Amino acid sequence: MTKSEKQVVKSAKAPAAIGPYSQAITFGDTVYVSGQLPIDAEAGKITATTTKEQTRQSLKNIEYILAEEGLDLSDVLKATVLLSDIGNFQEMNAVYSEFFKEPYPARIAYEVAALPAGALVEIDVIAGKSAR
C-alpha cells in the first residue's frame, strides 16, 4: 500500500460510528479522527451528564482511536470542538487542558444548534504521525 492510499482506523474501545462514516481515516502520515460524541462504548450510549464529563469521554474516545495508529494526544495538530451551548466553554476548556499540553494543537470551538444523541459536546482532531 502506498502512502497516498487512505486506510480506515477502528478501535473497539471507542464507540462504533453511528452513521456512514469511519472512526478515523489515515492518508499518508495524517490521521483524521471523526467527531467523537461522548458515547461510552461499553454502555453504548451517552452516560455522562455534564459538559466536563462529556468532554472527558469524547477525548478518551479520541485517545483510543489514535492509539490504534500508535499515536497519542501529543500528535494532534488541530482540534474542533462543537458545543451545544457556548456558555459551557469554560467547563470544556478546563477538561481539555487536562488532556493537552504545550505545544497545544490549533483549535476552534463554537456553538451549534444541536448535536447528535443530545450531546453537549463533540470533538474531532487531525493528528500527524510525524508530529513528535
Side-chain angles (χ1 to χ4, degrees):
M1 185 165 295
T2 67
K3 281 190 151 202
S4 62
E5 291 182 7
K6 68 180 183 178
Q7 297 178 24
V8 174
V9 179
K10 187 173 181 180
S11 170
K13 292 182 179 180
I18 58 173
Y21 60 90
S22 300
Q23 286 178 335
I25 292 289
T26 62
F27 188 80
D29 287 337
T30 307
V31 181
Y32 301 87
V33 180
S34 292
Q36 292 301 300
L37 294 169
I39 296 172
D40 179 314
E42 288 184 24
K45 63 182 180 179
I46 297 173
T47 58
T49 58
T50 69
T51 299
K52 284 184 174 184
E53 293 169 338
Q54 288 195 13
T55 300
R56 186 169 279 107
Q57 184 63 59
S58 291
L59 290 170
K60 284 181 182 178
N61 292 342
I62 290 168
E63 285 181 318
Y64 297 143
I65 294 166
L66 290 175
E68 293 296 319
E69 290 296 308
L71 302 176
D72 59 37
L73 292 176
S74 70
D75 298 300
V76 172
L77 304 170
K78 182 170 189 312
T80 303
V81 179
L82 307 176
L83 295 164
S84 65
D85 180 351
I86 200 69
N88 294 327
F89 179 84
Q90 292 302 330
E91 290 180 44
M92 174 280 297
N93 209 42
V95 175
Y96 185 94
S97 67
E98 294 172 15
F99 283 78
F100 289 99
K101 304 301 176 206
E102 290 189 41
Y104 301 113
R107 182 181 81 183
I108 186 170
Y110 51 93
E111 178 178 302
V112 296
L115 290 167
L120 303 175
V121 64
E122 181 175 5
I123 304 171
D124 74 42
V125 300
I126 299 170
K129 292 184 178 183
S130 301
R132 292 179 191 217

